[in-house]
């Protein structure tokens, strides 16, 4: 370190290393994003009726393989609309002017729903699980099917690349409210919203690096325990 000068007719040599980082992504604490494509949920009438009348228990098993150097929370939402506001988790019951969301999100809600008021249902811990956007002509609902934590891979190499993916397993029972959403006669759409993005910055080298082959893999299995009498159409008295 310091200043130096080079005299005419003289020369110098040395090893010079240049580190280039052409792209840097800085995630704010409240970053939230969602894919543009939505999944359409369509059950035939017979399947709906069998589930509604004969369901005993529904359990969802989910395996998440995270091969990206970041962690996040995955929220799976369902709605009668194709628009899912990114500020869903910060909505509250009341008129539009009572909301404390960003101006951008509020404008998108107005443009897509035109609600006179919003009704929000929360868990005891304050987590939003259901919202209705109400006006004189229509009501649009959004329900949270599940919320999963995507573990942060911490096994990075000296360049910040992930070495092995992080795998987490989750089991959860779907209550009757969520099953009613899924078996509704209305056409529903499903979309993930990802928030609480974070990195393992405490792991050397202190930054993370993305590969073009990094991926997030989610496998899910839904197990339905049904009343056999509803499925077969047999009366209990006939089996005696």
């Amino acid at each position: 370190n310091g200043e130096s000068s080079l005299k005419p007719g003289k020369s110098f040599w040395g090893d010079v290393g240049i580190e280039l980082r052409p792209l840097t992504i800085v995630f704010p604490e409240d970053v939230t994003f969602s894919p543009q494509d939505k999944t359409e949920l369509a059950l035939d009438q017979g399947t709906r009726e069998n589930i509604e009348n004969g369901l005993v228990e529904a359990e969802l098993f989910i395996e998440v393989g995270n091969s990206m150097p970041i962690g996040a929370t995955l929220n799976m939402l369902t709605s009668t609309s194709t628009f899912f506001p990114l500020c869903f988790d910060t909505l509250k019951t009341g008129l539009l002017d009572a909301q404390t969301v960003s101006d951008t999100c509020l404008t998108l809600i107005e443009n897509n729903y035109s609600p006179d008021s919003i009704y929000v249902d929360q868990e005891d811990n304050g987590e939003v699980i259901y919202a209705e956007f109400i006006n004189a002509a229509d009501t649009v609902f959004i329900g949270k099917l599940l919320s999963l934590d995507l573990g942060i891979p911490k096994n990075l190499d000296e360049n910040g690349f992930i070495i092995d993916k992080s795998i987490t397993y989750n089991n959860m029972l779907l209550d009757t409210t969520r099953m009613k959403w899924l078996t509704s006669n209305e056409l529903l759409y499903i979309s993930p919203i990802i928030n609480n993005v974070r990195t393992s910055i405490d792991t050397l080298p202190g930054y993370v690096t993305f590969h073009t082959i990094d991926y997030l893999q989610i496998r899910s299995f839904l197990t339905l325990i049904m009343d056999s009498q509803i499925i077969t159409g047999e009366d209990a008295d006939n089996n005696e």
Side-chain angles (χ1 to χ4, degrees):
N1 296 328
E3 297 181 358
S4 62
S5 60
L6 184 64
K7 295 182 179 180
K10 301 296 181 179
S11 62
F12 75 97
W13 64 273
D15 294 326
V16 179
I18 301 176
E19 181 178 351
L20 297 178
R21 299 184 187 178
L23 176 62
T24 299
I25 301 176
V26 179
F27 292 112
E29 292 183 0
D30 59 349
V31 63
T32 302
F33 56 93
S34 175
Q36 290 185 334
D37 294 334
K38 318 302 178 187
T39 300
E40 185 177 301
L41 178 64
L43 299 177
D44 62 78
Q45 186 64 30
T47 301
R48 286 195 185 101
E49 291 179 354
N50 283 336
I51 294 176
E52 290 175 354
N53 299 327
L55 182 64
V56 176
E57 183 179 272
E59 183 176 14
L60 186 65
F61 170 81
I62 300 176
E63 175 188 305
V64 179
N66 186 5
S67 186
M68 299 187 298
I70 61 173
T73 300
L74 172 68
N75 304 281
M76 195 65 69
L77 306 182
T78 184
S79 177
T80 49
S81 169
T82 57
F83 171 68
F84 293 80
L86 297 182
C87 58
F88 173 79
D89 281 325
T90 55
L91 295 173
K92 59 184 180 181
T93 298
L95 301 177
L96 287 185
D97 57 10
Q99 303 300 317
T100 56
V101 301
S102 68
D103 292 339
T104 300
C105 194
L106 191 60
T107 299
L108 289 172
I109 289 175
E110 290 180 308
N111 292 341
N112 285 274
Y113 301 146
S114 302
D116 298 321
S117 63
I118 299 175
Y119 168 77
V120 173
D121 189 16
Q122 297 176 307
E123 297 279 16
D124 293 337
N125 60 3
E127 179 185 7
V128 176
I129 60 171
Y130 181 84
E132 288 184 347
F133 303 86
I134 306 167
N135 62 32
D138 192 19
T139 296
V140 175
F141 96 91
I142 299 178
K144 182 181 292 186
L145 291 171
L146 57 91
S147 181
L148 294 176
D149 180 68
L150 309 180
I152 309 176
K154 296 184 178 180
N155 48 343
L156 308 178
D157 64 17
E158 66 276 6
N159 295 313
F161 289 110
I162 185 172
I163 299 174
D164 295 307
K165 67 180 179 181
S166 170
I167 301 178
T168 57
Y169 302 95
N170 301 268
N171 289 73
M172 64 175 298
L173 294 176
L174 295 181
D175 58 25
T176 54
T177 298
R178 289 175 170 84
M179 287 307 301
K180 285 181 179 178
W181 298 343
L182 297 179
T183 58
S184 169
N185 289 325
E186 296 182 272
L187 177 62
L188 296 180
Y189 300 90
I190 296 177
S191 177
I193 285 185
I194 299 174
N195 55 19
N196 193 26
V197 176
R198 56 205 185 278
T199 61
S200 52
I201 57 175
D202 56 334
T203 304
L204 292 177
Y207 55 86
V208 297
T209 307
F210 286 88
H211 269 130
T212 56
I213 58 174
D214 289 343
Y215 64 92
L216 179 65
Q217 180 185 56
I218 300 177
R219 297 197 302 172
S220 61
F221 306 91
L222 178 61
T223 302
L224 302 178
I225 300 177
M226 306 291 295
D227 185 338
S228 60
Q229 297 174 21
I230 299 297
I231 300 299
T232 61
E234 296 180 355
D235 188 11
D237 295 336
N238 295 333
N239 296 328
E240 293 179 357

